[in-house]
Amino acid sequence: MAGTTRGVDGLERAPFIRNSDSPTRRSSEDEDDEDDLTVYDSREGLSNVGQGSYLPMSMDDSKNFKPSWSTRLNLFVSRQKANWKALTVIALGVLIIGYGLWRAGSATTELPPPSHTDDNELWQKRAELVKNEFLQSYRAYEKYAFPKDELRPYAKEGINNYNGWGVTVFDALDSLLLMDCKEEYERAVKHISTVDFHHAVTYIPFFETTIRYLGGLLSAFAMTNNTILLERADELGTILLPSFNTPKGLPVLAIDATTGEHHNRQPDETAIPEIGTCQLEFKMLAHLTGNKLYFEKVDRMTDLLRDTQSPASGMWGNMWDTQTGRQNNDHLAVGGAADSAYEYLLKSYLQGAKTEPKIRDVYIKAVNGIIENLLYLSPTRKLLYVTDVSSFSRGNDPSGKLEHLSCFLPGTIILGVKYLKGEPGVTNEMIELWQWAAEGLARTCWLTYADQPSGLAPYEVQFSIWKGGAKKGRWLDHVNLWKKNGRPGSKYPPGVVESEPFAGKIESKDYVIRFNHYQLRPETIESLYMLWKVTGDPVWRERGWSIWESVMKHCKIESGGYSSVYGINVENPTVDDGMPSWFLAETMKYIYLLASPREDLVPLDSWVFNTEAHPLPIIHWSKTERALFNMSMTT
């Protein structure tokens, strides 16, 4: 083929976007494809290829902003000279020395005062504080754990649990860029350039490798145009392709990085996150390299989800047979072993500049199915939560459990409120219901933090059931009854009305804690950030910051870094000694973005976050690409 190059796998493909004849360039014939989302144009994206430029710029063409290298550096958060100093907790006595070292909160940080205003100076100080905490944590990883995957901050050692390639380096890469950590970024790239992807400490998990490693590389490339990152992403993508080598194309749970041999916990079984959480990364890789295999493999999975979507529930079972392409169960859930597949339906549609209606239509059915089948109210405090049903076809009762993992959902739903309004098949009534659901769920997720003496949320809680059975609490029934009665008492239905943190008798709390760990997880903070960005209501921003204050108080380790903790139902939880890479990739990134007064750091009109919080630019598919990838478009 004319104008092609040869990739690391020997396949012919279109050139990387650094070449002027790349099919990612838009022609005059493509001008009719404009959309209300700002699109990623490889000609005017992040320029200065390979020159060490940083930070995504605003993609608003109306500003005619074409920054130089020095100008882009100035787009970072303004540097503040404030140097927040850590305060040392005074030892209480000889009897608790040693034990106290194992208590979370042994290191504290001076906090800016609370505020319910949009004081940019205050929020700038908060953003600088987050950056300082991030740098201390990343440097602790470099000092004690590098090049292993993750840090055990109390033991001051590293651990390999995701391939042994240094997952924290890859996962934190775009966070380093957003926070203008140039020296750390350069060291990270040096490491990334030397990693041998063909050898790993164990089988490489398809899902985690895709969202953490591949997502991190692609996001950092989009911010810098550093071709080393794209070349490494292409190499890793090629290594992952054998995951799809099953009779129906379903990716397996893990493969051997050297041989491509498949590995599953159960023979011929995979999970819906593997099927539905690869589209953002592989489509971006197809766009950047021209390798249609990347696009075809994941687009086939989108078609599979469309063709197998339950007409009754709008959802899917969470476990699948790789040989038949059929669902092994009809366990409906949006928590572990399900969550991000639903998230990527909406985000895939947004990533493609809203030009693939088949994805939008699947998402609309899915989100309405979730609201109808999985959203419930607690009996006393009327807390709105999302749970699971072990078998939909058998009419099983909801389990009543809420996982922290499920708290991504309000953030996804509110994005749909913003970007699907006015779309075919989306009514005003749907938009209203979606916004209620997003706000009610986000409030409950925040309360699982605010209710606890430590201010930290457990991994999972179990809600009380209504008298007369669990199904009496189905939220949609309560909403419809409230509407029928003339919407009494409030402009908001049950489950959305504000509620104070718990301060009463334990039996009126409406839930018990099932797993008493806080693992530095990002999902609630992510949703609070999205609610604030979409609604503009500062209450979501303040709630997110209150969580971060509790994290700093209880999870910070004196020697550097942060740790997961357990026993969050007491004032002083105990250190669990682990700093997952998602803490630097997701939790701290969302807190930094929430605190930063900069509106154009990662504008939602121009970027979409993968499930590991790696921002990827919106793609404007050229007509050349549409033909190459055989895409079904609106135009």
Side-chain angles (χ1 to χ4, degrees):
M1 178 186 303
T4 60
T5 186
R6 195 165 292 277
V8 293
D9 55 351
L11 295 174
E12 286 191 341
R13 64 199 53 189
F16 290 158
I17 66 171
R18 64 178 183 270
N19 296 331
S20 60
D21 58 346
S22 168
T24 63
R25 290 182 56 86
R26 295 171 59 195
S27 68
S28 59
E29 297 176 340
D30 295 323
E31 295 303 322
D32 59 343
D33 296 317
E34 297 298 334
D35 199 89
D36 60 336
L37 287 179
T38 308
V39 297
Y40 178 65
D41 188 334
S42 59
R43 298 170 303 172
E44 300 178 6
L46 297 170
S47 55
N48 301 331
V49 177
Q51 297 181 23
S53 53
Y54 304 101
L55 192 66
M57 64 181 178
S58 171
M59 297 290 187
D60 186 352
D61 290 339
S62 65
K63 297 180 181 178
N64 296 315
F65 184 51
K66 297 182 180 179
S68 64
W69 181 85
S70 59
T71 302
R72 188 171 301 115
L73 287 180
N74 290 333
L75 288 177
F76 281 103
V77 176
S78 301
R79 293 183 176 88
Q80 302 288 326
K81 293 185 178 180
N83 182 19
W84 298 97
K85 298 181 180 180
L87 300 176
T88 305
V89 177
I90 299 174
L92 297 178
V94 175
L95 293 178
I96 60 172
I97 292 177
Y99 175 76
L101 293 175
W102 282 91
R103 305 293 292 185
S106 58
T108 60
T109 302
E110 183 179 351
L111 303 177
S115 171
H116 289 279
T117 71
D118 287 328
D119 185 336
N120 281 348
E121 183 178 355
L122 171 65
W123 285 105
Q124 181 63 49
K125 290 179 180 179
R126 289 178 170 181
E128 287 294 329
L129 172 62
V130 176
K131 176 181 175 178
N132 289 338
E133 296 299 309
F134 173 86
L135 268 176
Q136 290 176 23
S137 299
Y138 187 81
R139 287 169 179 170
Y141 162 78
E142 286 186 309
K143 181 177 181 180
Y144 299 120
F146 178 83
K148 291 187 176 180
D149 283 332
E150 294 178 337
L151 170 67
R152 295 183 63 201
Y154 183 80
K156 300 181 183 179
E157 64 184 18
I159 183 172
N160 281 328
N161 44 20
Y162 291 105
N163 308 348
W165 298 334
V167 68
T168 294
V169 177
F170 290 77
D171 231 0
L173 195 59
D174 51 16
S175 297
L176 292 170
L177 290 166
L178 284 169
M179 298 187 205
D180 196 15
C181 307
K182 293 187 288 293
E183 293 181 3
E184 289 76 13
Y185 165 75
E186 296 296 344
R187 291 196 295 269
V189 172
K190 182 178 180 181
H191 168 70
I192 288 168
S193 67
T194 64
V195 171
D196 184 359
F197 288 144
H198 291 276
H199 294 88
V201 295
T202 185
Y203 288 96
I204 62 173
F206 174 76
F207 173 82
E208 301 290 355
T209 304
T210 297
I211 66 170
R212 300 194 196 205
Y213 285 100
L214 188 56
L217 287 169
L218 292 170
S219 179
F221 171 74
M223 294 180 181
T224 64
N225 276 359
N226 185 332
T227 55
I228 291 173
L229 303 177
L230 179 55
E231 289 163 0
R232 302 269 33 210
D234 190 25
E235 181 182 354
L236 182 57
T238 301
I239 290 170
L240 289 171
L241 281 176
S243 303
F244 296 95
N245 292 344
T246 60
K248 300 298 181 179
L250 280 70
V252 295
L253 295 176
I255 62 169
D256 186 298
T258 305
T259 66
E261 175 190 356
H262 291 178
H263 177 74
N264 285 334
R265 291 188 295 269
Q266 298 292 330
D268 303 329
E269 188 171 70
T270 194
I272 193 171
E274 274 68 18
I275 297 169
T277 317
C278 49
Q279 285 75 5
L280 294 183
E281 296 82 5
F282 278 85
K283 284 187 176 182
M284 179 58 67
L285 199 51
H287 174 63
L288 296 175
T289 66
N291 185 349
K292 67 179 182 180
L293 276 179
Y294 293 140
F295 186 94
E296 290 173 345
K297 296 294 185 181
V298 299
D299 193 52
R300 184 180 181 186
M301 293 302 94
T302 301
D303 289 343
L304 176 68
L305 292 175
R306 176 196 61 193
D307 296 341
T308 58
Q309 188 170 24
S310 168
S313 70
M315 299 178 69
W316 301 268
N318 61 353
M319 302 307 297
W320 294 60
D321 190 311
T322 60
Q323 298 298 308
T324 66
R326 296 174 181 171
Q327 301 165 55
N328 286 344
N329 61 32
D330 61 349
H331 181 181
L332 304 186
V334 294
D339 47 1
S340 50
Y342 293 93
E343 174 188 359
Y344 269 37
L345 290 173
L346 175 63
K347 291 184 175 181
S348 294
Y349 181 58
L350 300 181
Q351 181 193 43
K354 306 206 301 189
T355 54
E356 296 182 84
K358 68 177 181 181
I359 307 175
R360 175 200 64 211
D361 295 344
V362 173
Y363 171 76
I364 293 170
K365 294 175 184 176
V367 71
N368 287 336
I370 292 169
I371 290 172
E372 181 176 354
N373 297 296
L374 300 187
L375 264 58
Y376 282 79
L377 280 179
S378 68
T380 304
R381 297 170 72 191
K382 304 299 186 292
L383 302 181
L384 178 61
Y385 65 96
V386 60
T387 187
D388 68 304
V389 175
S390 60
S391 176
F392 180 77
S393 61
R394 296 176 182 175
N396 289 8
D397 284 347
S399 72
K401 69 180 181 181
L402 168 65
E403 301 176 53
H404 194 293
L405 285 166
S406 301
C407 285
F408 83 93
L409 185 62
T412 297
I413 293 177
I414 203 66
L415 280 179
V417 170
K418 179 176 177 65
Y419 290 114
L420 296 188
K421 187 174 183 179
E423 291 270 317
V426 178
T427 65
N428 290 336
E429 186 178 15
M430 280 185 194
I431 291 295
E432 181 181 54
L433 185 66
W434 293 353
Q435 179 148 357
W436 287 339
E439 295 192 6
L441 290 170
R443 179 175 63 92
T444 299
C445 288
W446 168 71
L447 282 170
T448 62
Y449 283 82
D451 281 352
Q452 315 312 325
S454 66
L456 299 174
Y459 183 81
E460 186 176 301
V461 300
Q462 178 75 45
F463 276 93
S464 306
I465 64 173
W466 290 65
K467 293 180 180 179
K471 292 180 180 179
K472 293 289 186 180
R474 196 173 79 110
W475 181 58
L476 204 55
D477 292 338
H478 289 266
V479 171
N480 289 335
L481 180 61
W482 172 76
K483 288 181 178 180
K484 182 180 178 180
N485 292 335
R487 304 188 175 208
S490 171
K491 64 178 181 179
Y492 298 113
V496 188
V497 179
E498 281 299 321
S499 176
E500 293 299 317
F502 171 76
K505 296 181 179 179
I506 191 67
E507 58 267 22
S508 63
K509 191 173 184 178
D510 268 5
Y511 64 84
V512 295
I513 294 172
R514 283 173 53 91
F515 297 105
N516 207 2
H517 284 64
Y518 173 65
Q519 298 178 318
L520 302 173
R521 295 216 63 92
E523 290 82 13
T524 297
I525 293 173
E526 171 189 1
S527 285
L528 296 176
Y529 169 71
M530 294 298 175
L531 264 292
W532 171 61
K533 294 300 288 186
V534 172
T535 69
D537 189 339
V539 70
W540 303 114
R541 196 182 197 187
E542 290 289 353
R543 286 174 175 175
W545 186 254
S546 71
I547 291 173
W548 177 242
E549 289 179 321
S550 296
V551 173
M552 284 192 292
K553 180 178 180 181
H554 296 296
C555 301
K556 186 175 180 179
I557 302 300
E558 185 70 35
S559 59
Y562 281 69
S563 176
S564 301
V565 296
Y566 61 90
I568 54 83
N569 59 326
V570 297
E571 290 187 7
N572 294 300
T574 303
V575 170
D576 201 23
D577 203 14
M579 188 175 78
S581 71
W582 66 62
F583 178 65
L584 300 178
E586 301 184 72
T587 309
M588 295 195 83
K589 182 185 291 138
Y590 282 124
I591 282 292
Y592 180 74
L593 292 173
L594 182 142
S596 174
R598 287 279 310 281
E599 291 292 331
D600 61 345
L601 275 176
V602 188
L604 297 181
D605 288 348
S606 308
W607 300 78
V608 60
F609 290 92
N610 88 337
T611 196
E612 193 74 4
H614 297 307
L616 300 172
I618 302 294
I619 301 171
H620 187 103
W621 298 105
S622 69
K623 288 188 177 180
T624 303
E625 289 175 309
R626 299 179 195 183
L628 178 64
F629 302 145
N630 192 28
M631 297 176 68
S632 174
M633 313 292 287
T634 57
T635 58

